[in-house]
């Protein structure tokens, strides 16, 4: 009985540790104090939501982050799916090494990936631009899509593909009617997670952005300014809401595909 209560307290302690900072972000979005964070806030107001709505730099940063995330996710879907198709069932020399190299970008610290990309751009004389950010984000977005796709393909029954071929279907028809329906929810879940990761990425972006200002970089810059700090919290609250939706959707899609336990 005591161990049960101890586990419950530990679980709630972890939940509080993770979510109390998020609650403070929401609270300070309504703070009437515009220069410093005072707890508790001297007064509450909704004026900062209107201020954030009217600032062009906020919309420019959100638009850039959205476009980067969209392109990064699209690249990740193509490359991650192709890599998963090549490695899911085929057995060849070096397969495990290739699989490890595919997963490595998300396992390494972001600062290592950022430095590596910046060095590569400098060596190849590639100027920093929108596309250098997209390439940087795609390096770890591919991993998310690949992991989901390869797990689903390994669970796909080979006799379904064999039956399709035996019944006269060509490769495209088998892909369209057998493989993609089985793979669809896994790809969607991977794409949603990849989009959320790209939209919030700051470390790799810092090394690959140049003069571009994505939303996370904008937020870091705004925290240095002495005025209108609650605007940063307002934007953070909006982003939390927007990224929560794809993460929750990906969780439910992945959870729905898990086999039921008796």
């Amino acid at each position: 009985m005591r161990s049960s209560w101890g586990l419950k307290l530990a679980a709630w302690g972890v939940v509080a540790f993770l979510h109390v900072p998020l609650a403070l972000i929401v609270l300070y979005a309504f703070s009437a104090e515009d220069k410093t964070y005072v707890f508790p806030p001297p007064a509450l107001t909704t004026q900062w939501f209107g201020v954030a709505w009217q600032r062009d730099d906020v919309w420019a940063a959100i638009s850039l982050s959205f476009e980067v995330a969209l392109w990064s996710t699209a690249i990740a879907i193509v490359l991650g799916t192709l890599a998963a198709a090549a490695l899911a069932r085929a057995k060849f020399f070096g397969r495990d090494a290739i699989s490890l190299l595919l997963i490595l970008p998300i396992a390494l610290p972001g600062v290592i990936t950022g430095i590596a990309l910046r060095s590569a751009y400098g060596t190849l004389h590639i100027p920093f631009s929108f596309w250098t950010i997209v390439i940087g984000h795609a390096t770890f977005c591919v991993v998310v899509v690949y992991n989901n796709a390869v797990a689903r393909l390994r669970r796909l029954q080979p006799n379904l593909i064999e039956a399709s071929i035996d019944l006269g279907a060509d490769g495209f028809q088998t892909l369209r009617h057998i493989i993609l329906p089985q793979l669809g929810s896994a790809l969607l879940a991977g794409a949603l997670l990849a989009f959320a990761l790209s939209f919030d990425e700051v470390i790799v972006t810092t090394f690959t952005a140049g003069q571009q200002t994505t939303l996370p970089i904008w937020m870091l810059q705004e925290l240095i300014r002495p005025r209108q700090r609650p605007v940063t919290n307002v934007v953070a609250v909006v982003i939390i809401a927007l990224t929560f939706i794809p993460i929750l959707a990906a969780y439910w899609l992945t959870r729905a595909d898990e086999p039921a336990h008796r």
Side-chain angles (χ1 to χ4, degrees):
M1 187 67 178
R2 290 181 179 179
S3 61
S4 177
W5 277 104
L7 290 174
K8 290 180 180 179
L9 289 175
W12 280 109
V14 172
V15 170
F17 177 78
L18 294 174
H19 291 89
V20 166
L22 297 179
L24 290 175
I25 289 176
V26 176
L27 176 64
Y28 284 122
F30 295 92
S31 175
E33 175 61 47
D34 65 341
K35 296 182 180 179
T36 60
Y37 294 127
V38 179
F39 185 83
L44 299 178
T45 179
T46 59
Q47 66 172 339
W48 302 115
F49 286 83
V51 173
W53 182 269
Q54 296 174 0
R55 287 183 55 169
D56 293 336
D57 57 337
V58 173
W59 289 107
I62 292 176
S63 176
L64 179 61
S65 289
F66 183 84
E67 292 177 14
V68 168
L70 202 62
W71 277 101
S72 301
T73 303
I75 293 172
I77 291 174
V78 175
L79 297 182
T81 305
L82 291 176
L87 299 175
R89 294 188 180 276
K91 294 182 179 180
F92 54 90
F93 178 76
R95 186 185 73 165
D96 293 338
I98 294 174
S99 180
L100 176 62
L101 291 175
L102 283 170
I103 299 173
L104 198 59
I106 206 170
L108 289 174
V111 65
I112 302 299
T113 303
I115 292 173
L117 287 168
R118 191 177 185 91
S119 299
Y121 293 154
T123 301
L124 298 174
H125 304 288
I126 299 175
F128 294 111
S129 65
F130 170 85
W131 294 108
T132 58
I133 307 175
V134 170
I135 294 171
H137 287 200
T139 57
F140 56 83
C141 289
V142 167
V143 182
V144 178
V145 176
Y146 166 77
N147 283 337
N148 280 13
V150 76
R152 180 61 55 79
L153 287 172
R154 285 173 178 169
R155 289 183 1 223
L156 181 64
Q157 296 297 327
N159 55 4
L160 293 176
I161 299 176
E162 294 171 0
S164 175
I165 297 174
D166 290 341
L167 291 172
D170 57 26
F172 178 76
Q173 290 173 323
T174 301
L175 175 67
R176 178 184 175 186
H177 297 289
I178 303 298
I179 298 177
L180 285 182
Q182 298 289 328
L183 198 59
S185 60
L187 291 180
L188 181 58
L192 291 171
L193 286 175
F195 185 90
L197 287 173
S198 174
F199 197 86
D200 292 341
E201 168 57 37
V202 61
I203 300 177
V204 173
T205 309
T206 303
F207 287 93
T208 59
Q211 300 300 318
Q212 303 284 331
T213 303
T214 61
L215 186 63
I217 294 179
W218 175 89
M219 295 178 73
L220 288 175
Q221 294 173 350
E222 285 295 307
L223 289 174
I224 302 173
R225 299 182 181 182
R227 293 184 178 274
Q228 295 190 348
R229 286 185 174 176
V231 172
T232 308
N233 292 79
V234 169
V235 176
V237 169
V238 174
I239 298 309
I240 288 172
L242 291 178
T243 54
F244 178 77
I245 295 173
I247 291 174
L248 183 63
Y251 168 76
W252 281 108
L253 285 171
T254 307
R255 186 169 179 264
D257 292 328
E258 294 178 354
H261 298 283
R262 294 183 179 179

